[in-house]
Amino acid sequence: MSRVHNFCAGPCLLPEEVYKQAADAIVDFQQSGLSILSISHRSTAFLAVLEEVSHLALELLGLDQQQYDVLFLQGGASTEFLRIPYNMLTTNAAYIDTGVWASKAIEQAKQFGKVEVIGSSADRQYSYIPQDIPQVNGCDYLHFTSNNTIYGTQFSAVPQSDSPIVSDMSSDVYSRVFDYDKIDVIYAGAQKNIGPAGLSVVFVRKGVLGNITRKIPNMLNYKEHIAKDGLYHTANVFAIYTTLLNLRWLRAKGGVAAIEKINNQKAEMLYHALDSLDFIHPLADKAHRSRMNVTFDFKEKEQGYLFDTLCQEANIQNIKGHRVLGGYRASLYNALPLASVEVLVAVLNRMKVKV
Ligand SMILES: *Cc1c(COP(=O)(O)O)cnc(C)c1O
């Protein structure tokens, strides 16, 4: 593969060695003479994969196997927007609105009960994380989106509540040390930091389910998936295996604390460069900016055209902002090498001379 610096927001890049191992498994899985694409999800070989990945998924977040179940489901984070209220919302839930994904989660929850939006940054195009969020107690759950992939903002701590806490951590789970064990349900679309698209990973604290009287269709029922050990139906065998490869890579790197150090280095290097250039217009407030998705724009249109050209020359791809926000977005997920950030910073610095 030629050296492309891929800043894609999702599906994101995975480590080079994970691509190779996944490719090998497609041809011949563990020297079985069979492709990973063509083995049963109930085969001994796959059951071992599922057990190892479940274990590792919890261990790397510091979650206790006695306290949490983990599910690898099809449907992506957007299905969890629906599954969460289906399984947990009886009367009222509290949501924090920090952007498109949070809004979509809110819209789904409203079909099941009363949704109280207790904090929102909609007034300034979601460029910050709302502060002074009131502590609401006694609701079915509080939902927040830990990292706002589109806008480049990130929560620095878990919001306070005595109600169960639910978080969409699609774009920053496994990227940083966090109070994961203060959260009762963590969910994530796999395609940013976990593995290939087509999978969602859900961590459910034992005992948090079961307060619902409505009938829940099996495919949408977490309890049903848990009761069937994650194999209610055909699992996404290949995506789960590739997730295992990626989590093994993360463990070999030293785990979440070690990768966080590198992620901080990448983010600091890029923000430092952006902050030092007066023709850059940041799209997120400094105090709340994300270490995973860095959003910015240029003050003049022509500067954007120049940047596009320089990126092309430097083999930088997928750095355009999300269509709802425009501008640019550099996603710095776990597998993005520091060297790619160095190339991007060099491009930005070259613009200093040219504009
Ligand atoms: C990408 C993303 C989603 C959507 O995930 P799908 O798997 O495409 O449904 C939801 N929430 C956040 C925070 C995301 O970054």
Side-chain angles (χ1 to χ4, degrees):
M1 264 190 283
S2 67
R3 249 280 137 258
V4 171
H5 303 288
N6 184 4
F7 289 88
C8 190
C12 77
L13 80 172
L14 294 169
E16 214 58 47
E17 65 184 72
V18 169
Y19 294 140
K20 292 206 177 88
Q21 291 164 0
D24 286 347
I26 286 185
V27 179
D28 184 6
F29 177 54
Q30 295 175 346
Q31 279 124 38
S32 62
L34 299 168
S35 167
I36 184 79
L37 300 179
S38 310
I39 62 166
S40 167
H41 56 294
R42 302 191 192 279
S43 63
T44 314
F46 183 70
L47 291 181
V49 166
L50 191 56
E51 189 178 324
E52 185 183 344
V53 75
S54 302
H55 207 84
L56 200 49
L58 287 160
E59 185 192 302
L60 286 168
L61 296 185
L63 296 177
D64 185 348
Q65 197 138 22
Q66 306 304 314
Q67 289 182 37
Y68 283 86
D69 289 305
V70 55
L71 293 169
F72 298 86
L73 303 174
Q74 303 196 29
S78 300
T79 309
E80 308 320 323
F81 294 164
L82 163 72
R83 268 195 276 238
I84 292 287
Y86 226 133
N87 286 266
M88 296 178 70
L89 179 49
T90 307
T91 49
N92 66 317
Y95 276 71
I96 302 171
D97 180 15
T98 49
V100 164
W101 298 120
S103 303
K104 286 190 168 173
I106 290 168
E107 175 195 295
Q108 294 300 298
K110 279 181 176 166
Q111 302 177 54
F112 297 88
K114 192 164 162 278
V115 172
E116 206 184 331
V117 177
I118 57 164
S120 169
S121 49
D123 61 335
R124 279 200 289 119
Q125 222 184 356
Y126 299 118
S127 56
Y128 66 103
I129 297 293
Q131 304 297 296
D132 307 319
I133 294 166
Q135 183 170 339
V136 289
N137 297 324
C139 57
D140 293 328
Y141 60 89
L142 163 69
H143 179 284
F144 75 107
T145 312
S146 59
N147 184 69
N148 298 283
T149 327
I150 294 173
Y151 309 88
T153 63
Q154 190 172 32
F155 278 82
S156 55
V158 178
Q160 301 276 328
S161 180
D162 77 350
S163 307
I165 295 176
V166 177
S167 187
D168 174 0
M169 296 199 72
S170 291
S171 50
D172 69 346
V173 69
Y174 295 106
S175 74
R176 58 164 166 169
V177 175
F178 201 55
D179 285 328
Y180 294 102
D181 63 355
K182 281 194 185 157
I183 308 173
D184 298 277
V185 180
I186 298 169
Y187 66 91
Q191 68 275 21
K192 299 144 186 162
N193 276 335
I194 297 181
L199 195 67
S200 55
V201 183
V202 188
F203 299 90
V204 185
R205 190 193 295 279
K206 292 184 201 285
V208 87
L209 301 173
N211 304 317
I212 290 291
T213 50
R214 74 169 65 89
K215 188 139 178 50
I216 307 172
N218 285 350
M219 273 295 283
L220 301 180
N221 190 339
Y222 290 134
K223 285 187 86 170
E224 183 68 23
H225 286 286
I226 291 167
K228 299 281 156 48
D229 296 322
L231 293 174
Y232 170 74
H233 71 135
T234 311
N236 188 338
V237 171
F238 180 67
I240 292 172
Y241 179 65
T242 308
T243 294
L244 171 61
L245 297 174
N246 191 40
L247 293 183
R248 280 182 186 158
W249 171 85
L250 179 57
R251 183 181 51 196
K253 280 258 161 195
V256 171
I259 207 79
E260 180 185 38
K261 280 207 188 96
I262 302 170
N263 288 337
N264 284 347
Q265 231 181 322
K266 291 187 289 189
E268 274 161 27
M269 185 190 292
L270 182 53
Y271 280 123
H272 177 76
L274 292 168
D275 287 345
S276 66
L277 299 171
D278 57 12
F279 51 87
I280 296 281
H281 162 58
L283 297 175
D285 284 11
K286 200 165 180 169
H288 308 143
R289 58 198 188 181
S290 165
R291 289 174 277 167
M292 280 290 102
N293 310 97
V294 176
T295 54
F296 60 95
D297 204 354
F298 295 95
K299 290 187 176 158
E300 310 287 340
K301 252 201 166 74
E302 288 67 32
Q303 294 160 348
Y305 299 145
L306 173 62
F307 181 66
D308 293 343
T309 307
L310 293 177
C311 282
Q312 211 168 6
E313 285 169 14
N315 247 340
I316 289 173
Q317 289 186 25
N318 296 318
I319 198 163
K320 280 268 193 244
H322 189 278
R323 62 189 185 282
V324 305
L325 190 64
Y328 293 86
R329 169 173 55 173
S331 296
L332 312 179
Y333 295 119
N334 288 351
L336 183 85
L338 188 72
S340 291
V341 181
E342 285 168 350
V343 169
L344 175 57
V345 166
V347 161
L348 286 163
N349 285 331
R350 270 183 68 200
M351 290 189 63
K352 239 190 310 202
V353 202
K354 300 204 177 202
V355 297

